[in-house]
Amino acid sequence: MNLAYIPSPSTGVLHLGPIPLRGYAFCIIIGVFVAVWLGNRRWIARGGRAGTVADIAVWAVPFGLVGGRLYHVITDYELYFGEGRNWVDSFKIWEGGLGIWGAVALGAVGAWIGCRRRGIPLPAWADAVAPGLAIAQAIGRWGNWFNQELYGKRTDVPWALKIDADPAIGRVAGTYHPTFLYESLWCLGVAALVIWADRRFKLGHGRAFALYVAAYTVGRFWTEYLRVDEAHHVLGLRLNGWTSILVFLAAAAYIVVSARRVPGREAVVEPGASEDAAVGDGASSGGASSGGGGGTPEGPSGKAEPKPAK
């Protein structure tokens, strides 16, 4: 008998008075806000304007949600279009089901549109938001905890996840590996890795983002191995396992090729931002020097001249 385990929520819906707030959606929303906040700080530190990350996120986030849902529905189509299934359920995103691969791919399209409208390079913007995206994924994985889904194999370790029975979907009660927790902790480690490597090696031209992608896929590969939910297999390996391998190779190749072709980091990430900052600093210093009119006049030597005796 397992005496220590992580309990699962009795419900995936939190009620704020008459307003239902689903835990899965709540985690995604919090993750998006954290990613934008951290991305904005990193963008400003690299010479960009405040608010640019949020403006582009207005394009990237909706595209990402659509892409994540499309990937899930396409790769698990039998859940929505098989015998006895209702295709309308494919739109119920609050019940879970977002594929990170589709979210990143189509989210990048939305980000490209936003960057193009602002006249800034997509790779530089992606570098700024990379660690925030990893943290957003870490937070978003707790949505699976609310929904009691995507857990791993049976186990009796002290940190096992207790799952309740649900005959309607074939869920068997027991204690399982909390793969949502493993991936959440891994994503936090990925964020820390990207931040450290970016400071240490001055990553630019999309390489910080590529490092995030490569590091994430390593963790995703081993958590996929632990999962027991239904999935398509190719040559004995889960589909997401193969996707992790291919995406890792692509990200690693990008880092190598990009470092050779465009070494270093972009000198300018947002045209006009440095001039705006200079004008703002000049206005502040000018206002400070001219304000009040009570300063002591200086002579040619730069030293304050004594006032004539009255």
Side-chain angles (χ1 to χ4, degrees):
M1 180 178 181
N2 192 359
L3 300 178
Y5 56 82
I6 300 172
S8 290
S10 58
T11 177
V13 182
L14 306 175
H15 290 275
L16 298 178
I19 303 175
L21 181 61
R22 297 185 177 274
Y24 188 88
F26 186 63
C27 291
I28 292 176
I29 292 171
I30 293 178
V32 169
F33 274 104
V34 170
V36 171
W37 172 79
L38 181 57
N40 182 65
R41 288 175 60 90
R42 286 172 52 80
W43 183 252
I44 294 173
R46 294 189 64 173
R49 293 187 178 95
T52 296
V53 168
D55 290 344
I56 296 174
V58 170
W59 289 90
V61 172
F63 273 72
L65 290 174
V66 172
R69 190 60 176 178
L70 281 175
Y71 181 90
H72 168 71
V73 172
I74 291 173
T75 55
D76 290 297
Y77 62 89
E78 65 279 357
L79 297 177
Y80 307 100
F81 302 101
E83 184 177 353
R85 302 290 185 174
N86 186 355
W87 64 271
V88 176
D89 292 339
S90 63
F91 295 97
K92 297 179 179 179
I93 191 173
W94 56 86
E95 293 183 354
L98 286 176
I100 184 61
W101 316 114
V104 172
L106 206 55
V109 174
W112 175 79
I113 295 174
C115 287
R116 187 176 178 84
R117 289 168 60 90
R118 294 293 294 262
I120 65 176
L122 174 61
W125 185 86
D127 284 342
V129 301
L133 288 177
I135 296 175
Q137 285 180 251
I139 297 172
R141 272 305 174 196
W142 285 84
N144 301 137
W145 177 63
F146 279 99
N147 287 353
Q148 296 196 43
E149 60 184 0
L150 306 186
Y151 44 86
K153 301 175 182 178
R154 283 184 176 272
T155 183
D156 57 358
V157 295
W159 57 87
L161 176 65
K162 186 177 184 296
I163 295 296
D164 301 323
D166 188 347
I169 59 176
R171 193 169 67 201
V172 180
T175 54
Y176 301 83
H177 275 289
T179 51
F180 85 91
L181 179 60
Y182 298 161
E183 187 167 331
S184 180
L185 294 175
W186 182 270
C187 286
L188 291 178
V190 170
L193 171 65
V194 173
I195 291 173
W196 170 82
D198 195 25
R199 291 176 177 173
R200 175 67 177 81
F201 302 106
K202 303 296 182 184
L203 301 177
H205 302 283
R207 289 188 286 276
F209 183 83
L211 176 60
Y212 143 69
V213 172
Y216 169 73
T217 58
V218 174
R220 181 58 184 266
F221 183 84
W222 68 265
T223 55
E224 276 293 323
Y225 173 76
L226 290 176
R227 282 168 50 171
V228 294
D229 54 297
E230 293 289 335
H232 294 286
H233 287 73
V234 178
L235 300 178
L237 188 64
R238 290 168 67 98
L239 177 61
N240 282 329
W242 283 111
T243 305
S244 295
I245 293 173
L246 295 176
V247 173
F248 171 83
L249 293 175
Y254 179 88
I255 293 174
V256 174
V257 174
S258 173
R260 291 178 178 176
R261 295 186 60 183
V262 281
R265 177 183 285 180
E266 299 92 340
V268 177
V269 297
E270 187 167 7
S274 57
E275 289 81 355
D276 291 348
V279 170
D281 292 343
S284 299
S285 60
S289 62
S290 60
T296 302
E298 296 182 353
S301 63
K303 297 182 179 180
E305 295 182 347
K307 295 181 179 179
K310 293 183 179 178

